[in-house]
Amino acid sequence: MASPAIRFDRLGQVFDTRSGRTEALRDVSFEVARHEFVAILGPSGCGKSTLLRLIAGLLRPTSGSVEVFGLRVGEPRDDIGIVFQKPTLLPWATVEDNVDFPARHKRGRVSPEERERAAALLRMVGLEGFAKRLPDELSGGMQQRVGIARALLMDPDILLMDEPFSALDALTREVMGFDLLRIFAERPKTVVFITHSVSEAALLADRVLVMTGRPGSVLTDVVVPVGRPRGPETANEKAIHDLSAYLRSFLLQKAA
Amino acid sequence: MSLRATLTSFALASSLIAAPALAADKVIFQLDWLPGGDKAPIYVCIHDGFCRDAGLNVTIASGRGSTDAISRLAAGSADVGVADIGALLAAKANENVKVTAIFSEFNKGPHALYVIKSGRIGSMADLKGKTIATSPFTSSNFYLPLVLKDKGVESSDVKLIKAEPGSLGPMLMAGNVDGIVAWMTDLTRYRNQGKEAGKEIVVLPWSAAGLELYSASLIANDDFLAKRPEVAKRFVEAYKKSIEFAKAEPAKAAAAVKAIVAEISTEDVEGSLNDTLPLIFNEVTDKDGLGVFEPARLAETWRRVSAAQSIDPAKFDPEKAVTRHFIPAK
Amino acid sequence: MTSVPTYAASSSKRQPKAMTDPVAGASPFFRRLATAPGMATLGSLIAVVILWELTARIFAIPSYLLPTPSSVIQSFSSIGYDRWFVHVWATLRVAMIGYALSIVIAIPLAILMLRSPFLSRTLYPLLVVVQSTPVVAVAPIIIVSLGAGDAPRVVITCLITFFPLVVSTATGLAATPPELIELSRSLRAPAWREITQIRLPFAVPYIFSALKISITLAVIGAVVAEFCASEAGVGYFIQFSTSMFRLPQAWAGLIVLAAMSLALFQLVLFAQKSLFPWSLPKKD
């Protein structure tokens, strides 16, 4: 039996800040299977982003452990890609240079294969023909697509997405969600996707973890009872509606 | 011109340039301020050949006040220069700087009060209850209380305003103040300013009010004097000749300054030089000779300087600040 | 395609008869001249100069208070171009060397301060002390210890231009989006590449705003240094002219100085526009 892609075991995280100790996460345990899409839903400040930074190896746990493919996370790994809330592109670099930036940054050069893969990724995210443009010339949605292409350049097994669509308008956000479904149908990945949008979580994910804080902990873990492939029509399915309604009322109850 | 004549003149010209250049001793001359008519002798020395004839190759460095000039001479960045002997005496008394006065140029202080004719001040004794302006850093400020005291005026009875040197003239012309403290060397320039404003300017020299002082003197670095005494001797001789030339031919002396300092106007230089000459040639010069440090007058200078700077007069012997070894015999 | 530029170029001719156009009746040359960029500025400048000349003459303001523009212009030519060249070159040389030295020291120092919080804590107060020390107060020691030549003036210029460069560069290096720093760490890239590929480029707008401040400070620095010690330079020339009570001549020096500052500022702006166009503030 292969080990899960990600495994949190009774993880606790405490930060020492100027105003004292803050307990960000307490007793967090869950697993994410390979090629599973898990959405993490919760209010602001419940430590969702901390979870991602722990997986990425940018942070050491205070207690408990995080494993990726059966190995304890000690330092950043090569097989993880990150998409941030804001696109955070390099404003001086063209779109294609932004996409192959991870290679240039890690090794100081970009191989011909990586350059080809960057072009293919740009096609996949619908930005062919924009390769020579600067980020400023692109809309917010297009910039975030560049961010997604950049995260996929090194062909990671795991993709961490930290509220990637929260800065976009509602319509663009929906379109981006469906594009994401298409991309992962083409190229399955293990995805941890943080969001505060209940419907986005229900529509995109295989499983939804609901967190609350502080300290953040997993309250409930719900499987989305809808198969794949999914598309725009999926949004109208009753199961999605019911799940969204359930999650929304659950969150409201907890918030009250 | 024939070929032979050309060659001859060429040979003559090159020998004129080359011969002294081979033997010329390099000397850096430090001014205590920017170029001007009051500094004409050193320009005469260079431009009219007195320095060259003495086998000297002199370059001029401008300064920013006597203290600045003395510290640069002490640091060895210049060999010999001109600065106020009062500043030298104070510097020697406070911290034994390695420089010595070798020749007296002004045997009267240039300090004066400028007033407008038909104004409320006719002499220094009239200053009680008046407002006068001075520049913040001039050495005249030290002597002002002494002159006032001599004339029976309390310093506290005179309102003293400090202002940037360039604004003193305008303040006087505009009637903001009753008088301004400035140097005799600027007499022509203030008179011209007065003309433009339709006012007549009167100057009250403090030497006439009883302030007996040596002032601008040639001051040299002690190392220079010890290692190149012959050069120093030749320089002082050439400088003395230049002063005498400036007295005899003020227009040519002004032209010498203009030739080296292109930014200057000849009339300004000539005016300033004519204002300066009475500080060099006067009844004291007639009695003692040019360049001489007469012991009694030197002692009197130190008495005034020490009083002005609040230094114990017994702390220092002014004879230690001068050497008469380099003054040319008559 | 060829017809498009022609049309665009003639767009101003589309309403030549419009009564609202103040220069409608003028010949095309004058019309173009009047609408050329900078013409309004130049026009108002000329108007101010004429007004100034008239005021000075009508009220007979003495030249030692306010010289007339004509006397200032006259003193330009009476000095001689070779002397102007000597003064401008002396000031320009000191300003540029001091400025360059300042950049060469400030940027690596800002990087060092970013890498070492200890250095940052110890250097910042020191920099503030240096910045708040009036250079004139320390000028004598600098001049006496560095001797004749450009060295003391270059050091004084460097001292004056240094502070904004260090502070701005350090701020810019620290203002990089934290996400990109996390990206860099997650890639396990060498630390120096984080500086060269992320932090320094992100600091470019900050560095350039400091470069623009510092270039005018460099001219001021060179002038202050010339006030303390020099035999040439525009600052020396101004000081010298003031000491001779030649105010028109001093004003001519001031105008040359202002022109130098403006030209150097535009040069820095041009460098930014052509080398880092993305770093300029957005127009909209």
Side-chain angles (χ1 to χ4, degrees):
Chain A
M1 168 75 198
S3 46
I6 301 165
R7 181 160 173 268
F8 275 75
D9 187 15
R10 282 166 299 159
L11 181 124
Q13 189 69 41
V14 176
F15 293 113
D16 285 316
T17 61
R18 220 170 263 248
S19 50
R21 286 166 78 84
T22 309
E23 194 177 6
L25 295 169
R26 179 186 288 175
D27 198 27
V28 174
S29 299
F30 68 90
E31 289 181 2
V32 179
R34 184 151 192 265
H35 292 178
E36 193 177 18
F37 191 128
V38 171
I40 297 177
L41 193 62
S44 306
C46 69
K48 293 172 301 197
S49 298
T50 307
L51 282 182
L52 292 195
R53 297 173 68 214
L54 283 160
I55 301 168
L58 296 168
L59 204 62
R60 295 287 183 93
T62 315
S63 61
S65 69
V66 186
E67 287 174 12
V68 171
F69 294 116
L71 292 172
R72 238 171 201 263
V73 177
E75 59 170 352
R77 307 169 50 106
D78 287 344
D79 51 2
I80 293 179
I82 309 174
V83 179
F84 302 100
Q85 185 172 353
K86 283 177 282 173
T88 55
L89 304 177
L90 310 175
W92 58 88
T94 59
V95 163
E96 65 180 352
D97 286 348
N98 263 292
V99 173
D100 59 29
F101 174 72
R104 198 158 6 96
H105 193 56
K106 188 172 170 61
R107 293 194 319 273
R109 61 186 175 81
V110 185
S111 68
E113 298 81 55
E114 282 160 340
R115 198 157 290 142
E116 256 171 55
R117 191 153 69 231
L121 284 166
L122 278 178
R123 262 198 307 282
M124 192 168 83
V125 298
L127 287 178
E128 52 198 324
F130 289 89
K132 301 291 180 194
R133 299 291 189 86
L134 288 176
D136 273 350
E137 303 170 296
L138 269 53
S139 70
M142 289 159 100
Q143 290 186 21
Q144 193 54 290
R145 286 164 201 262
V146 177
I148 292 168
R150 177 176 69 187
L152 292 171
L153 181 81
M154 305 298 239
D155 200 16
D157 289 307
I158 297 173
L159 194 64
L160 306 175
M161 305 182 84
D162 191 354
E163 305 186 27
F165 305 147
S166 63
L168 305 177
D169 64 85
L171 188 66
T172 312
R173 186 171 188 154
E174 229 166 274
V175 173
M176 292 289 285
F178 295 128
D179 279 352
L180 210 58
L181 286 174
R182 180 177 52 76
I183 290 166
F184 293 135
E186 265 177 54
R187 233 179 235 256
K189 299 275 175 211
T190 308
V191 182
V192 180
F193 186 100
I194 287 176
T195 179
H196 348 252
S197 164
V198 168
S199 48
E200 195 173 73
L203 184 64
L204 299 179
D206 299 312
R207 263 166 69 209
V208 179
L209 299 185
V210 180
M211 290 187 68
T212 191
R214 301 167 167 176
S217 54
V218 179
L219 277 188
T220 182
D221 183 341
V222 190
V223 174
V224 181
V226 178
R228 292 185 190 268
R230 300 181 194 173
E233 66 292 341
T234 315
N236 302 324
E237 281 189 28
K238 187 169 183 303
I240 297 286
H241 275 287
D242 290 349
L243 180 64
S244 300
Y246 166 74
L247 289 172
R248 196 165 286 123
S249 65
F250 186 86
L251 276 172
L252 283 172
Q253 210 179 335
K254 286 294 156 190
Chain B
M1 200 190 281
S2 74
L3 179 67
R4 207 163 117 199
T6 315
L7 281 177
T8 315
S9 61
F10 179 75
L12 195 70
S14 53
S15 71
L16 275 176
I17 298 163
L22 276 177
D25 291 292
K26 284 191 174 161
V27 173
I28 300 173
F29 188 83
Q30 179 71 54
L31 300 180
D32 60 352
W33 187 236
L34 302 168
D38 53 331
K39 311 283 187 280
I42 190 64
Y43 292 94
V44 167
C45 190
I46 293 171
H47 185 257
D48 292 290
F50 295 106
C51 285
R52 192 189 57 210
D53 294 347
L56 302 170
N57 179 6
V58 178
T59 47
I60 299 175
S62 67
R64 305 293 187 276
S66 283
T67 313
D68 177 52
I70 289 168
S71 61
R72 289 202 218 183
L73 283 164
S77 58
D79 302 308
V80 59
V82 64
D84 180 44
I85 198 170
L88 174 73
L89 292 171
K92 295 278 275 188
N94 286 330
E95 43 180 324
N96 189 26
V97 288
K98 300 287 182 199
V99 288
T100 305
I102 55 175
F103 186 87
S104 163
E105 185 170 351
F106 297 0
N107 49 30
K108 282 191 178 183
H111 319 285
L113 186 78
Y114 285 74
V115 295
I116 287 171
K117 194 177 183 179
S118 76
R120 301 194 290 159
I121 303 173
S123 79
M124 291 301 285
D126 300 336
L127 271 179
K128 191 176 157 88
K130 304 294 195 298
T131 303
I132 60 174
T134 181
S135 48
F137 304 114
T138 173
S139 57
S140 307
N141 293 347
F142 292 116
Y143 300 114
L144 180 64
L146 307 185
V147 176
L148 290 176
K149 200 176 161 196
D150 286 354
K151 293 291 167 188
V153 181
E154 285 293 316
S155 294
S156 54
D157 288 339
V158 180
K159 192 178 174 203
L160 195 63
I161 295 171
K162 300 217 168 151
E164 200 275 325
S167 56
L168 293 179
M171 286 171 87
L172 179 65
M173 312 309 164
N176 296 351
V177 291
D178 300 308
I180 57 170
V181 175
W183 283 12
M184 295 298 295
T185 50
D186 288 331
L187 181 58
T188 305
R189 271 178 263 161
Y190 280 118
R191 283 213 172 119
N192 288 342
Q193 259 189 9
K195 257 181 225 153
E196 206 183 335
K199 308 256 162 101
E200 194 179 334
I201 301 299
V202 174
V203 67
L204 307 172
W206 294 357
S207 55
L211 191 68
E212 299 290 333
L213 289 173
Y214 284 120
S215 178
S217 308
L218 287 186
I219 292 171
N221 174 283
D222 284 352
D223 264 357
F224 169 70
L225 294 180
K227 287 181 185 155
R228 301 198 287 163
E230 276 313 302
V231 176
K233 201 150 200 164
R234 271 187 277 140
F235 176 78
V236 177
E237 272 167 23
Y239 193 82
K240 191 182 172 203
K241 282 181 197 161
S242 306
I243 293 176
E244 283 159 347
F245 179 87
K247 186 195 179 198
E249 306 266 11
K252 281 188 185 168
V257 181
K258 173 71 182 172
I260 296 172
V261 187
E263 293 82 354
I264 220 159
S265 95
T266 315
E267 52 183 303
D268 275 352
V269 178
E270 215 175 327
S272 180
L273 175 58
N274 285 327
D275 298 336
T276 304
L277 285 170
L279 300 174
I280 307 174
F281 296 99
N282 48 50
E283 68 284 358
V284 182
T285 328
D286 295 339
K287 184 167 75 71
D288 300 332
L290 180 59
V292 171
F293 291 109
E294 196 271 317
R297 193 172 180 86
L298 184 63
E300 172 65 8
T301 303
W302 172 235
R303 188 181 73 82
R304 291 298 205 166
V305 170
S306 57
Q309 304 261 15
S310 318
I311 304 170
D312 174 13
K315 185 181 161 189
F316 180 72
D317 175 7
E319 289 294 328
K320 283 186 190 157
V322 304
T323 169
R324 298 180 177 87
H325 180 68
F326 297 92
I327 299 169
K330 273 189 182 171
Chain C
M1 272 309 284
T2 48
S3 69
V4 174
T6 324
Y7 180 73
S10 63
S11 62
S12 61
K13 289 181 191 164
R14 266 185 297 172
Q15 343 161 299
K17 300 283 185 281
M19 296 311 286
T20 48
D21 188 346
V23 285
S27 73
F29 172 75
F30 284 112
R31 190 160 358 115
R32 201 171 306 151
L33 195 68
T35 52
M39 267 302 151
T41 324
L42 192 66
S44 54
L45 201 70
I46 291 171
V48 166
V49 168
I50 291 172
L51 197 70
W52 168 12
E53 178 84 36
L54 288 176
T55 315
R57 280 173 187 263
I58 290 167
F59 296 99
I61 299 173
S63 75
Y64 56 78
L65 285 181
L66 182 72
T68 57
S70 54
S71 64
V72 173
I73 291 164
Q74 203 186 347
S75 60
F76 266 113
S77 47
S78 69
I79 303 306
Y81 291 112
D82 51 334
R83 295 305 299 163
W84 277 118
F85 179 79
V86 166
H87 291 307
V88 168
W89 171 238
T91 303
L92 199 63
R93 192 179 59 223
V94 167
M96 289 333 296
I97 298 174
Y99 185 60
L101 189 68
S102 185
I103 295 170
V104 167
I105 299 173
I107 292 177
L109 192 70
I111 293 171
L112 274 177
M113 282 164 67
L114 176 83
R115 306 298 300 182
S116 155
F118 169 75
L119 210 60
S120 179
R121 272 200 308 275
T122 40
L123 274 181
Y124 250 114
L126 200 69
L127 286 176
V128 172
V129 168
V130 169
Q131 174 68 10
S132 45
T133 305
V135 177
V136 179
V138 289
I141 173 110
I142 294 173
I143 288 156
V144 168
S145 54
L146 292 175
D150 284 345
R153 290 189 285 281
V154 165
V155 168
I156 288 171
T157 305
C158 188
L159 282 176
I160 288 181
T161 52
F162 189 67
F163 189 71
L165 272 172
V166 180
V167 172
S168 256
T169 307
T171 310
L173 290 172
T176 307
E179 290 92 341
L180 283 171
I181 302 308
E182 293 207 326
L183 178 65
S184 174
R185 283 184 57 210
S186 77
L187 289 165
R188 282 179 295 158
W192 60 268
R193 228 177 258 150
E194 177 194 305
I195 301 283
T196 57
Q197 292 189 344
I198 300 179
R199 286 194 187 267
L200 265 181
F202 259 104
V204 162
Y206 293 84
I207 294 174
F208 263 93
S209 56
L211 284 175
K212 281 177 238 169
I213 297 169
S214 282
I215 193 75
T216 55
L217 288 179
V219 176
I220 294 175
V223 166
V224 167
E226 284 166 10
F227 278 2
C228 300
S230 68
E231 312 301 326
V234 183
Y236 169 82
F237 175 78
I238 291 170
Q239 188 187 29
F240 180 73
S241 304
T242 317
S243 83
M244 301 302 292
F245 296 6
R246 291 268 158 188
L247 216 56
Q249 198 169 301
W251 279 58
L254 283 178
I255 289 168
V256 168
L257 210 56
M260 278 174 68
S261 288
L262 271 174
L264 289 172
F265 183 87
Q266 289 298 327
L267 212 62
V268 174
L269 200 63
F270 175 76
Q272 186 179 15
K273 268 183 188 157
S274 44
L275 297 174
F276 309 100
W278 53 268
S279 71
L280 291 161
K282 305 282 173 300
K283 290 258 159 55
D284 45 40

